[in-house]
Amino acid sequence: MSYRNRTAALASAAALAGSAVLMAAPTARAEVVDVNYQCKTPIGDKSAVSPIDIKGVRSGGGYRITMSWQKGVSSSPVELGKGAMTPSATIALGGADSGTMTVTGPANDAAIPANAPIKINDLSGTYTPKKSGEVTFTAGVLTIKALGTTTTCTPTNDPGPSLSLDVTAASGGGAIGSTQGGGSGSGSGSDSGDELPQTGPEDSAVALGTLGGTVLLAGAAGALWLTRRHQTARVRASRTH
């Protein structure tokens, strides 16, 4: 094979390797879903509809999941002072996994007036899949604890998934299992750590893109080495003559 053909072959192989790495990046599909909550409160039943948004991003060996409410749900007949209300929720898993995971969040950072809709702060948790595949995340039961009472709000309109995420198990596969009947899910009391404005595992895509770029650079370095070697060989040949 001639020098030019070898160089072209190296460049093509590097480009194909980089493209294959980028194509392997996981994908996510997010959708805001209206959830009709029926709430059991200490003073009777109440209902409210809130659009729910669930986002996920790769974090270490798992995925950081954040659940957001765009409208308040339930209310209190008395004012809830700062820090008096603590929310948590479950998310139903489907697709390649099953069971539920729990997301939690901080107490209210400002007083909530009496009879005003209770705005839920973003709740988050870590989901660790035990099997690779597409997993769906659907809003489950919301629990509000305040002033020694507990209010539970259950979806009644069979909402669809707010997030579909292609996940990769850290162990590379195996049977699904956890104490909650599916992939391991745990809540976090704050949003510290990875921020989640993304609708998918973009950090993984960036990392994979960087790897693809590294492959391309390696191919270019190989071509440069061949060029220099060829030039050196020609110089030595001319000197011997």
Side-chain angles (χ1 to χ4, degrees), residues 147-229:
L147 304 178
T149 67
T150 299
T151 294
T152 57
C153 300
T154 304
T156 59
N157 61 330
D158 192 22
S162 294
L163 174 67
S164 297
L165 189 64
D166 288 335
V167 303
T168 302
S171 59
I176 296 174
S178 79
T179 56
Q180 293 178 298
S184 300
S186 62
S188 172
S190 67
D191 252 349
S192 61
D194 294 325
E195 189 176 348
L196 293 174
Q198 302 95 335
T199 59
E202 295 181 3
D203 56 345
S204 292
V206 171
L208 289 168
T210 302
L211 177 58
T214 302
V215 173
L216 288 172
L217 288 174
L224 180 59
W225 178 80
L226 285 174
T227 301
R228 290 179 176 175
R229 183 182 179 186

Side-chain angles (χ1 to χ4, degrees), residues 1-240:
M1 183 183 293
S2 68
Y3 158 72
R4 289 185 178 179
N5 288 341
R6 287 197 301 270
T7 302
L10 278 172
S12 299
L16 288 173
S19 300
V21 170
L22 290 174
M23 291 176 63
T27 60
R29 290 169 296 282
E31 180 180 0
V32 177
V33 176
D34 288 336
V35 178
N36 186 355
Y37 283 105
Q38 293 294 323
C39 301
K40 299 289 185 181
T41 80
I43 58 172
D45 295 346
K46 295 187 176 183
S47 63
V49 176
S50 178
I52 300 296
D53 182 25
I54 300 177
K55 295 181 174 69
V57 65
R58 188 67 185 256
S59 177
Y63 295 80
R64 187 77 168 167
I65 305 298
T66 293
M67 187 177 187
S68 303
W69 280 257
Q70 297 187 5
K71 290 183 179 179
V73 297
S74 191
S75 61
S76 171
V78 298
E79 180 183 27
L80 297 178
K82 179 181 178 180
M85 185 271 296
T86 303
S88 63
T90 61
I91 296 177
L93 307 174
D97 206 344
S98 61
T100 62
M101 68 169 290
T102 300
V103 288
T104 62
N108 57 307
D109 55 6
I112 301 174
N115 300 313
I118 297 176
K119 177 66 174 69
I120 306 298
N121 291 326
D122 288 355
L123 306 182
S124 62
T126 299
Y127 167 67
T128 304
K130 296 296 186 294
K131 184 178 181 181
S132 299
E134 184 179 81
V135 177
T136 61
F137 298 79
T138 304
V141 177
L142 168 66
T143 301
I144 302 171
K145 294 186 177 182
L147 304 178
T149 67
T150 299
T151 294
T152 57
C153 300
T154 304
T156 59
N157 61 330
D158 192 22
S162 294
L163 174 67
S164 297
L165 189 64
D166 288 335
V167 303
T168 302
S171 59
I176 296 174
S178 79
T179 56
Q180 293 178 298
S184 300
S186 62
S188 172
S190 67
D191 252 349
S192 61
D194 294 325
E195 189 176 348
L196 293 174
Q198 302 95 335
T199 59
E202 295 181 3
D203 56 345
S204 292
V206 171
L208 289 168
T210 302
L211 177 58
T214 302
V215 173
L216 288 172
L217 288 174
L224 180 59
W225 178 80
L226 285 174
T227 301
R228 290 179 176 175
R229 183 182 179 186
H230 183 74
Q231 290 174 345
T232 301
R234 290 197 303 177
V235 169
R236 287 178 179 175
S238 63
R239 287 178 179 176
T240 56

